[in-house]
Amino acid sequence: AHEGAFGLGRPALPEEIAAWDVDVLPDGRGLPEGSGDVSTGEEVFAEKCAACHGDFAEGVDNWPVLAGGFGTLADEDPVKTVGSYWPYLTTVWDYVHRSMPFGEAGTLSADETYAIVAYILYSNDLVDDEFELNQDNLATFEMPNRDGFVIDDRPQREYAEWRTEPCMENCKDSVEITKRATFLDVTPDHGGDS
Amino acid sequence: MDDMFKPSRRAFLRGGAAIAAGSVAGSVAAQEADPLITELQDWASYTGAGVDETPYGLPIRFESDVVRRNVEWLTASPISSINFTPIHALDGTITPQGCAFERHHSGAIELSKQDYRLMINGLVDRPLVFTYDDLERFPRENHVYFCECAANTGMEWAGAQLNGVQFTHGMIHNMEYAGVPLRVLLQEAGLDAAGDLSDKWVYVEGADASSNGRSIPMEKALDDVLVAFKANGEALRMEHGYPVRLVVPGWEGNMWVKWLRRIEVTDAAVESREETSKYTDVYADGTARKWTWVMDAKSVITSPSPQMPIRHGKGPLVISGLAWSGHGRITRVDVSKDGGITWETARLGKQLDTKALTRFYLDTEWDGSPMLLQSRAMDETGYVQPTKDQLREKRGENSVYHNNCIQTWYVNAEGIAENVEVS
């Protein structure tokens, strides 16, 4: 029992919290001690990551591209990678360490994770091949798109304008069909009318 | 097994004749007596299935098309993928759990109640571990809420792509949940250590390999978020987070963390992968919005639609659809048959809760001429569902998420419906 209103549950033990609370915040809190350099990362990446993400983090088939895409965010088809899009390197470390490799998550050591993240930076031409990443320099690494995000601004940009009584009659002069899904024909056959 | 359920040649032939007769008899006066009435049918003579036949039943086989479907080319792997609720064939508002859509990032995991643990840690007075049985001893609430994937309709930003409302709008379900308010669990762990709650967050994550961690501001956590273990009267389905999931009313489905295993009170957002790389919305100029949590007012006509053509010819027609808003209740739905030139206000079905699906009907007459069907939802904040062009004017075409545009179905003179965009 404990002092909570219902006395339900039991105190979490330090080693239990340590096992599950492995998230890393943008300021670096949560990073364990450790380090890894680009060349070590290249080996680990080749062994554990390249089958899906490519030898140079360029992506295989439909699997995510981790490198490149710089300057494409305003294009018709932006290429959103760790280098071109992700705001914080802490997120890369946290996600790789917790959820990668796909199908064998949670198996990477802290040092392996530092090395892989260092290699992903190298694949994005953000560091040279001598670079070593560790718990002290990771959170201060400035990602190129760090300032690329704004907090949800729908209230200012949209809601003010769209909370008005809508038109009911003679709302436009004419209507024409401009795009048709059947021209693309990408819907699974079983989805349509049988 | 009873005789009635063995297919017989006699029954097969009669059934075929009945379908042919029925398709004519639907709208025209019968020329000759209907054998389905004048002849004794098997089901009116032989017995049906006993009560011991089906301890837990599935829909009758004639409804076998009312199932979840996926679109292979959308994702690299079916393990981190999406499927779609058959909303074209459903009515009312409650989604049957067995065909309610799934979205996993590392598959649907099997987690027993015995193995289940929930941890609350971080800036709390008493970090706690709960078993499943502990959770069922807290006071419970019931609520009906929609869960809409942030990416619902996301494939339609640049044009009209998928030809069916199941595919364009089916990343959604609506269930009646039973669970414990997150507020109650946080209070059990104690929030004195957190101090001023206005700048605090909770980070929530699942027991699966993807973890799906997301940051939720404390104000929402203490408001209406539920830690749910029952949906539509029974335990959650495995694919929906058995035995415990988070329910985050009105907010994007990604935050409804399944197989919930940990809640951490923090003094900052974690900025996890699912709120930086994903579930951020790129504007035309390349900047992106983050923390776009609320799902705005939206609606869609489910019938007629590409998967639900008009088969009955001219005359009375029920136009039916769904409306919902993450900001609260739906107050009105307007329907247009001419692509938005003229609008009629539809009739709303029973509203079960705020931030829940609402059914609407327009009971009308079809004269057999082509239609451009649209629906337009309004919510209690006065927000009116925008057109796709209005959205694109504000955001461009690369938002991926949060496409709540007005949908258009072109219905031709044969009653066939198609997904289109109009000027």
Side-chain angles (χ1 to χ4, degrees):
Chain A
H2 56 79
E3 295 168 18
F6 298 92
L8 291 168
R10 53 127 179 121
L13 301 178
E15 55 267 46
E16 293 172 330
I17 295 172
W20 275 10
D21 182 357
V22 295
D23 59 68
V24 179
L25 279 78
D27 62 10
R29 277 181 293 166
L31 282 172
E33 281 187 26
S35 65
D37 59 21
V38 169
S39 59
T40 308
E42 184 173 20
E43 289 171 30
V44 182
F45 196 90
E47 185 192 337
K48 304 194 174 193
C49 318
C52 295
H53 295 294
D55 288 337
F56 307 101
E58 78 282 16
V60 174
D61 297 332
N62 231 355
W63 295 100
V65 180
L66 306 182
F70 292 98
T72 67
L73 297 181
D75 290 359
E76 192 174 333
D77 290 306
V79 181
K80 296 188 281 181
T81 73
V82 170
S84 71
Y85 191 63
W86 292 39
Y88 305 110
L89 195 58
T90 48
T91 311
V92 188
W93 198 97
D94 175 73
Y95 182 68
V96 170
H97 182 239
R98 187 191 339 215
S99 298
M100 287 286 128
F102 190 61
E104 281 181 26
T107 60
L108 296 173
S109 70
D111 285 344
E112 285 176 319
T113 309
Y114 281 109
I116 288 171
V117 176
Y119 181 68
I120 292 173
L121 289 179
Y122 174 73
S123 300
N124 277 286
D125 296 322
L126 295 173
V127 297
D128 62 33
D129 58 2
E130 304 280 300
F131 183 75
E132 182 193 274
L133 199 60
N134 56 50
Q135 75 274 11
D136 297 321
N137 67 359
L138 189 142
T140 54
F141 192 91
E142 282 214 11
M143 299 294 279
N145 199 41
R146 187 187 183 94
D147 299 322
F149 295 81
V150 296
I151 294 173
D152 185 9
D153 56 357
R154 282 176 291 178
Q156 302 81 45
R157 280 174 78 129
E158 297 177 358
Y159 297 162
E161 199 171 320
W162 293 346
R163 283 176 175 148
T164 53
E165 185 62 27
C167 175
M168 294 298 285
E169 285 181 356
N170 302 315
C171 300
K172 36 187 167 179
D173 294 334
S174 64
V175 172
E176 280 173 40
I177 293 174
T178 54
K179 290 190 171 120
R180 305 182 60 167
T182 52
F183 285 6
L184 281 172
D185 197 25
V186 291
T187 310
D189 285 342
H190 56 212
D193 175 37
S194 53
Chain B
M1 192 163 168
D2 200 276
D3 281 345
M4 179 181 164
F5 293 93
K6 290 179 183 160
S8 72
R9 181 174 159 76
R10 179 166 154 267
F12 177 78
L13 291 173
R14 188 190 291 161
I19 288 166
S23 63
V24 176
S27 55
V28 186
Q31 298 300 302
E32 49 191 272
D34 184 348
L36 277 168
I37 298 170
T38 58
E39 291 182 18
L40 180 63
Q41 302 297 311
D42 286 352
W43 53 83
S45 182
Y46 307 139
T47 55
V51 296
D52 55 350
E53 191 119 331
T54 314
Y56 199 109
L58 289 170
I60 195 166
R61 60 193 168 93
F62 311 123
E63 297 295 314
S64 61
D65 62 321
V66 186
V67 291
R68 296 187 279 233
R69 298 196 187 280
N70 68 316
V71 177
E72 273 182 35
W73 54 262
L74 280 177
T75 52
S77 158
I79 306 296
S80 179
S81 194
I82 189 83
N83 64 26
F84 301 88
T85 305
I87 56 171
H88 62 287
L90 304 178
D91 209 326
T93 61
I94 295 294
T95 312
Q97 291 199 79
C99 65
F101 87 104
E102 303 165 70
R103 203 287 187 242
H104 319 301
H105 293 78
S106 51
I109 61 166
E110 191 176 82
L111 178 57
S112 73
K113 288 176 180 173
Q114 289 73 31
D115 291 343
Y116 180 78
R117 298 290 184 273
L118 176 64
M119 181 185 290
I120 300 185
N121 74 309
L123 297 172
V124 293
D125 306 334
R126 296 171 290 277
L128 294 175
V129 171
F130 298 109
T131 63
Y132 179 82
D133 289 342
D134 291 335
L135 295 183
E136 284 209 342
R137 297 171 68 190
F138 284 98
R140 255 168 266 167
E141 292 183 6
N142 299 161
H143 296 281
V144 177
Y145 296 121
F146 72 83
C147 173
E148 183 185 21
C149 180
N152 199 22
T153 322
M155 296 85 74
E156 303 289 311
W157 270 110
Q161 182 158 253
L162 286 160
N163 204 34
V165 72
Q166 179 171 16
F167 301 101
T168 57
H169 290 75
M171 296 180 194
I172 193 166
H173 58 59
N174 192 66
M175 300 189 192
E176 185 201 26
Y177 294 97
V180 179
L182 175 54
R183 173 194 338 113
V184 172
L185 297 183
L186 289 170
Q187 285 164 353
E188 186 71 7
L191 290 171
D192 289 345
D196 182 359
L197 297 179
S198 65
D199 60 350
K200 297 303 183 296
W201 297 72
V202 295
Y203 180 70
V204 287
E205 66 179 7
D208 63 317
S210 82
S211 96
N212 198 48
R214 290 283 320 240
S215 306
I216 298 175
M218 184 61 78
E219 185 185 8
K220 178 71 173 177
L222 295 177
D223 180 14
D224 55 3
V225 177
L226 272 187
V227 174
F229 33 81
K230 297 285 170 68
N232 293 351
E234 60 181 356
L236 297 170
R237 294 292 171 96
M238 174 180 80
E239 62 270 31
H240 296 139
Y242 181 95
V244 176
R245 85 172 307 164
L246 208 62
V247 167
V248 191
W251 287 22
E252 58 188 14
N254 176 255
M255 308 179 81
W256 294 47
V257 172
K258 297 185 286 189
W259 314 291
L260 179 71
R261 85 168 191 186
R262 196 171 67 88
I263 299 158
E264 179 185 359
V265 176
T266 63
D267 62 7
V270 168
E271 304 269 10
S272 70
R273 185 254 196 180
E274 305 291 332
E275 56 202 17
T276 54
S277 170
K278 307 296 178 189
Y279 308 99
T280 50
D281 315 18
V282 177
Y283 278 129
D285 68 359
T287 62
R289 290 179 297 153
K290 66 177 182 180
W291 304 346
T292 46
W293 299 310
V294 180
M295 302 306 291
D296 290 327
K298 186 167 173 178
S299 69
V300 71
I301 291 169
T302 52
S303 178
S305 67
Q307 294 157 287
M308 296 291 281
I310 303 173
R311 297 181 188 279
H312 55 58
K314 298 173 191 176
L317 170 68
V318 174
I319 297 174
S320 176
L322 292 167
W324 61 96
S325 173
H327 293 281
R329 287 182 188 278
I330 291 294
T331 52
R332 190 172 116 194
V333 179
D334 299 327
V335 170
S336 176
K337 293 185 277 191
D338 57 15
I341 298 174
T342 311
W343 297 86
E344 299 169 69
T345 297
R347 177 168 62 86
L348 299 185
K350 184 171 180 62
Q351 294 210 11
L352 295 174
D353 221 325
T354 180
K355 302 170 186 173
L357 290 190
T358 299
R359 176 63 58 177
F360 68 85
Y361 299 105
L362 185 73
D363 308 301
T364 189
E365 288 276 316
W366 187 44
D367 63 7
S369 53
M371 297 184 284
L372 289 166
L373 293 180
Q374 297 182 332
S375 64
R376 182 178 67 192
M378 292 174 64
D379 69 24
E380 62 181 313
T381 71
Y383 175 95
V384 181
Q385 183 184 0
T387 63
K388 201 189 288 185
D389 282 338
Q390 282 178 298
L391 283 170
R392 286 192 288 225
E393 189 184 319
K394 298 284 187 189
R395 307 182 191 169
E397 294 184 359
N398 287 324
S399 285
V400 180
Y401 308 106
H402 292 280
N403 185 349
N404 66 320
C405 72
I406 290 173
Q407 172 67 45
T408 309
W409 305 125
Y410 169 61
V411 181
N412 70 15
E414 281 77 52
I416 307 297
E418 184 188 340
N419 176 12
V420 299
E421 277 189 23
V422 295
S423 58

